Amino acid sequence: MNYKLELNTQEPNSKIVFNNILFDAFKVNVIERYTGDMRKNPILCEVLFKVRTLGDDLIEKRDGNVRVKIKGDDFEVYQRLAKTFKSYEFKNKLMNRKDVEQEYVHFILSLVIANYQLN
């Protein structure tokens, strides 16, 4: 499945960061909320994601809601993956970026499959 990953789209001085994963048939919007100073030491406190059609219509989960909050062990895994994107090695291409991006996309896709009924 083809995808395009858009990382860190945010407004200046905002404590909310948007990441998007665009697939052939749908897209996933990942919303990260931070506490603390965004320039010095931001702390990831909450992660949500929503699935949309390519026409920006929200797709409902199996329970009727439209968003999923990542919590528990999944939140810890997400924190580790998000931290990798901010690492010196990733920014300076000292590690295989494609593998890191693919691990992130596969993790989010596993959560999408677990929570949504996609036809």
Side-chain angles (χ1 to χ4, degrees):
M1 181 177 268
N2 297 325
Y3 66 88
K4 180 182 175 191
L5 184 61
E6 298 173 348
L7 295 172
N8 298 333
T9 54
Q10 75 181 89
E11 298 292 321
N13 300 320
S14 175
K15 293 186 183 230
I16 298 176
V17 176
F18 299 98
N19 297 324
N20 298 309
I21 307 170
L22 303 163
F23 292 99
D24 295 333
F26 62 94
K27 63 183 173 181
V28 180
N29 303 121
V30 181
I31 302 114
E32 301 174 349
R33 292 191 178 146
Y34 289 88
T35 60
D37 188 0
M38 289 301 285
R39 284 176 258 130
K40 294 180 183 173
N41 189 21
I43 299 167
L44 184 62
C45 65
E46 184 179 42
V47 180
L48 306 166
F49 70 90
K50 301 176 186 179
V51 177
R52 297 177 181 265
T53 64
L54 295 178
D56 278 340
D57 297 324
L58 288 169
I59 298 175
E60 290 185 355
K61 290 179 12 182
R62 292 184 177 130
D63 63 6
N65 293 324
V66 293
R67 66 181 185 184
V68 176
K69 183 175 181 179
I70 300 175
K71 43 188 162 175
D73 292 337
D74 291 335
F75 183 73
E76 291 175 17
V77 172
Y78 187 87
Q79 277 185 310
R80 180 183 57 79
L81 292 170
K83 194 174 191 178
T84 305
F85 285 125
K86 295 171 180 61
S87 72
Y88 175 84
E89 291 83 6
F90 184 82
K91 288 180 181 177
N92 291 301
K93 300 180 182 178
L94 299 175
M95 63 174 44
N96 189 341
R97 295 173 69 115
K98 192 71 172 169
D99 289 345
V100 173
E101 290 175 358
Q102 200 167 31
E103 186 179 0
Y104 177 81
V105 169
H106 286 171
F107 174 72
I108 295 294
L109 194 55
S110 70
L111 294 175
V112 168
I113 291 169
N115 289 287
Y116 288 86
Q117 180 67 40
L118 300 174
N119 296 330

